[in-house]
Amino acid sequence: MFRIQCTQCQMILAKPLKCAKCKSVWYCSKECQKKNWSTHKLRCHEVERSSGALKFIRMFVLNPMIMGLLKVGVVIDCGLLDNPRIGFDVPFGVRVDIAIEPSNILDFVGLYFDNKSPREKLQGMVQVNAMTPWELTADRRSKWREARARHDAHGFAKDPVGLVDFVDINCTENSGNTSIIELHFPPFILNTAKAREPVVGVSAVTGAEIRKPMNAMTCLEILNLHIRADKDNQLHLRTEMTDQDKEVIRAAGRNEDTYLVRILKEKIQREHLYASMAQLTH
């Protein structure tokens, strides 16, 4: 189930109200929007991508391969195989940070090293920069219990259930608008994680086969490669990059100490595609 919550009070929204300027945060009322303005105004910019992140999160969630890789990564990262109570009588959740990155790796390199050659208009694509288990607040624990009850009622009482919060570059480390998804883990996902068979992918640059041990970060790497390989945009996860998108990459090249920079640099360090570039930054 796909849910959006109010940026200010975290109420689940049936009909979200968007910020009219940036269209990237959602509220339940004008009152909550006013209360949140002192925080949001620092990151509110004229909209460049009218559809916002919501459209891409929906398409992401609808893709079975992408969500399968994400779920296997969550099973490993959150310890579902180590503690059989997690997802049944122990609530759990995970934060997934998404960003828009150039579909051409050379454009990424140009932005990172602040090369003036990248074109003004760059095609971008959704990428997952981080996945982090996090402790659920009282409100989210209540939402998890509702999700658990729904899955029990639909015949999935033997399968674990969790929550994932998708966040984009308009969020900080501890705040911002999120889209909440209920995660159901069927037996084949648990068995895949348990088997720990090596994960096989294909380099988006050389076309060579990449074989890596199964772990949570490898699942994210193969997921990101799958999106990168979709040159015809059949996944509907490509869009023109905004100045905000580009600035995150430039800030990483300048070694700025922000949450968005830290998670991007960690992605560069762990993913095969950026291996040569990571060496240049040392």
Side-chain angles (χ1 to χ4, degrees):
M1 180 176 290
F2 185 88
R3 295 180 162 197
I4 305 168
Q5 65 180 21
C6 175
T7 301
Q8 175 63 23
C9 70
Q10 282 75 57
M11 177 188 294
I12 295 297
L13 307 177
K15 295 182 179 180
L17 303 174
K18 289 183 180 180
C19 170
K21 185 176 182 181
C22 70
K23 296 182 174 62
S24 63
V25 293
W26 309 292
Y27 300 101
C28 63
S29 64
K30 292 289 185 182
E31 289 72 23
C32 270
Q33 184 174 14
K34 289 178 182 177
K35 289 178 182 177
N36 187 247
W37 177 242
S38 61
T39 300
H40 177 56
K41 67 181 179 181
L42 301 174
R43 301 191 299 274
C44 186
H45 303 282
E46 199 71 44
V47 65
E48 296 179 78
R49 186 167 51 240
S50 60
S51 57
L54 181 58
K55 167 188 170 183
F56 301 110
I57 296 170
R58 281 177 171 158
M59 298 311 299
F60 187 105
V61 171
L62 287 172
N63 187 278
M65 180 172 178
I66 288 174
M67 285 305 292
L69 285 164
L70 183 69
K71 287 181 180 181
V72 171
V74 169
V75 169
I76 297 171
D77 213 26
C78 293
L80 271 68
L81 297 176
D82 303 319
N83 184 349
R85 295 178 56 207
I86 296 176
F88 292 98
D89 57 354
V90 175
F92 82 99
V94 62
R95 168 179 173 141
V96 174
D97 286 83
I98 65 169
I100 303 297
E101 188 176 302
S103 54
N104 187 325
I105 187 61
L106 295 180
D107 288 330
F108 182 94
V109 172
L111 289 170
Y112 189 91
F113 291 107
D114 207 12
N115 188 328
K116 303 304 179 184
S117 62
R119 302 178 300 281
E120 182 177 346
K121 290 187 177 182
L122 294 180
Q123 183 191 65
M125 62 187 174
V126 173
Q127 291 281 276
V128 175
N129 281 0
M131 180 173 69
T132 313
W134 62 348
E135 189 172 344
L136 296 181
T137 61
D139 180 62
R140 276 179 170 74
R141 285 197 296 272
S142 176
K143 292 178 176 64
W144 177 86
R145 285 191 288 270
E146 293 172 4
R148 179 69 270 177
R150 267 192 297 274
H151 284 78
D152 289 349
H154 286 88
F156 300 113
K158 295 183 178 181
D159 301 338
V161 172
L163 298 179
V164 58
D165 285 50
F166 284 96
V167 300
D168 66 5
I169 64 171
N170 291 288
C171 296
T172 62
E173 186 169 4
N174 298 307
S175 66
N177 59 297
T178 67
S179 299
I180 304 175
I181 310 297
E182 296 173 5
L183 285 186
H184 163 230
F185 298 86
F188 80 89
I189 292 291
L190 299 172
N191 291 337
T192 299
K194 187 175 182 178
R196 294 293 183 100
E197 295 288 339
V199 179
V200 179
V202 176
S203 169
V205 177
T206 65
E209 182 179 279
I210 300 172
R211 183 178 293 266
K212 286 196 167 188
M214 167 75 78
N215 58 46
M217 294 302 101
T218 296
C219 288
L220 293 191
E221 180 173 1
I222 300 302
L223 184 162
N224 284 333
L225 284 174
H226 179 64
I227 295 173
R228 185 179 291 277
D230 177 36
K231 300 188 183 302
D232 295 328
N233 198 26
Q234 294 180 334
L235 301 176
H236 300 288
L237 292 175
R238 295 196 173 208
T239 185
E240 184 178 322
M241 294 188 71
T242 67
D243 288 341
Q244 282 178 282
D245 298 325
K246 298 172 187 175
E247 182 54 29
V248 172
I249 300 171
R250 290 192 180 106
R254 295 192 296 267
N255 285 314
E256 293 185 9
D257 186 20
T258 67
Y259 174 71
L260 294 175
V261 165
R262 290 197 300 273
I263 61 174
L264 176 57
K265 289 181 78 70
E266 287 168 3
K267 176 176 185 272
I268 291 171
Q269 290 295 325
R270 71 174 180 258
E271 296 196 0
H272 178 85
L273 179 68
Y274 308 95
S276 298
M277 200 176 87
Q279 292 173 5
L280 290 174
T281 61
H282 281 4

